[in-house]
């Protein structure tokens, strides 16, 4: 049986009142709780910067319905949620209802599980790019993409680092899809 060190405890959320994640839930970076590590405001600003970068190069995010939330806000919402370990659409909807997300990410229109899933299907490549951009901005992004960072070594080029972040973002979106599929069965 492994004993928990002080360093292990700092990388793992201890209660859900502080971070919004259930005790022991694996976040995108293994046991790294990005909300506790960086704080909501800093992470929110980095999310919006990553989203603006994607929106600047994407011709147009795909709208799901005419009376839906702004596509850029939907992109920021899912990017932030996936980065902080909230993957299932039901969990995103619950976090919105209970006020567990930064205010600038909360759409003015009601958001349903069906809308979240449809938005993700319509904009999946852009969600992956925004999430990869956010991960690349993190000071500890090599730690966040830890299993690939150790395999490639710390001396990886910036291009290799961006590719690792993109692969990690794709796995996060795949996990969200799998969780939604499992919850539907």
């Amino acid at each position: 049986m492994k004993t928990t060190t002080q360093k292990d405890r700092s990388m793992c959320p201890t209660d859900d009142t502080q971070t919004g994640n259930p005790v022991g839930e694996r976040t995108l970076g293994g046991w790294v709780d990005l909300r506790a590590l960086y704080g909501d405001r800093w992470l929110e600003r980095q999310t919006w910067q990553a989203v603006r970068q994607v929106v600047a190069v994407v011709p147009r995010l795909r709208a799901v319905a005419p009376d839906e939330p702004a596509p850029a806000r939907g992109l920021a919402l899912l990017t932030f949620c996936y980065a902080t370990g909230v993957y299932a659409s039901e969990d995103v909807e619950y976090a919105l209802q209970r006020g567990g997300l930064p205010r600038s990410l909360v759409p003015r229109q009601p958001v349903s599980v069906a809308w979240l899933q449809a938005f993700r299907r319509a904009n999946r490549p852009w969600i992956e790019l925004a999430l990869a951009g956010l991960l690349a901005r993190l000071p500890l992004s090599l730690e966040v993409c830890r299993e690939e960072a150790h395999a490639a070594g710390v001396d990886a080029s910036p291009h290799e680092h961006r590719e690792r972040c993109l692969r990690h973002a794709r796995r996060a979106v795949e996990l969200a899809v799998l969780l939604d599929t499992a919850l539907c069965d």
Side-chain angles (χ1 to χ4, degrees), residues 2 17 54 63 71-72 96 107 113 126 133-134 137 142 154-155 157 174:
K2 182 184 172 204
T17 59
V54 169
L96 285 166
V113 169
W126 316 131
L134 173 60
R137 292 175 177 280
L142 286 176
V154 179
D155 299 332
S157 72
E174 287 170 9

Side-chain angles (χ1 to χ4, degrees), residues 2-167:
K2 182 184 172 204
T3 60
T4 305
T5 65
Q6 183 64 28
K7 184 177 178 184
D8 291 337
R9 274 189 235 111
S10 69
M11 301 300 273
C12 177
T14 55
D15 70 352
D16 64 338
T17 59
Q18 226 177 3
T19 64
N21 291 333
V23 175
E25 178 180 313
R26 286 184 60 91
T27 60
L28 184 56
W31 290 107
V32 177
D33 185 347
L34 299 178
R35 291 181 87 173
L37 192 60
Y38 297 113
D40 277 358
R41 286 190 177 143
W42 187 87
L43 199 54
E44 176 185 12
R45 281 193 306 271
Q46 297 305 313
T47 299
W48 278 111
Q49 287 180 4
V51 166
R52 280 191 287 276
Q53 208 171 24
V54 169
V55 169
V57 297
V58 172
R60 183 180 163 124
L61 291 170
R62 295 183 184 129
V64 179
D67 60 341
E68 70 177 14
R73 190 170 301 228
L75 180 60
L77 171 67
L78 290 179
T79 300
F80 183 90
C81 287
Y82 295 167
T84 58
V86 181
Y87 298 106
S89 296
E90 287 181 3
D91 293 339
V92 174
E93 181 185 48
Y94 180 73
L96 285 166
Q97 290 172 352
R98 74 169 233 250
L101 296 171
R103 186 168 224 141
S104 75
L105 301 174
V106 178
R108 291 182 182 97
Q109 299 85 347
V111 173
S112 68
V113 169
W115 181 84
L116 290 165
Q117 292 170 348
F119 183 83
R120 184 184 57 224
R121 277 191 303 274
N123 296 289
R124 183 175 178 161
W126 316 131
I127 296 168
E128 292 170 353
L129 279 177
L131 183 54
L134 173 60
L135 292 174
R137 292 175 177 280
L138 299 177
L140 290 178
S141 61
L142 286 176
E143 175 65 23
V144 170
C145 300
R146 127 179 61 211
E147 67 278 352
E148 293 183 28
H150 290 303
V154 179
D155 299 332
S157 72
H159 175 73
E160 290 169 331
H161 178 64
R162 282 191 301 273
E163 287 300 314
R164 284 195 305 268
C165 289
L166 185 56
R167 283 192 299 272

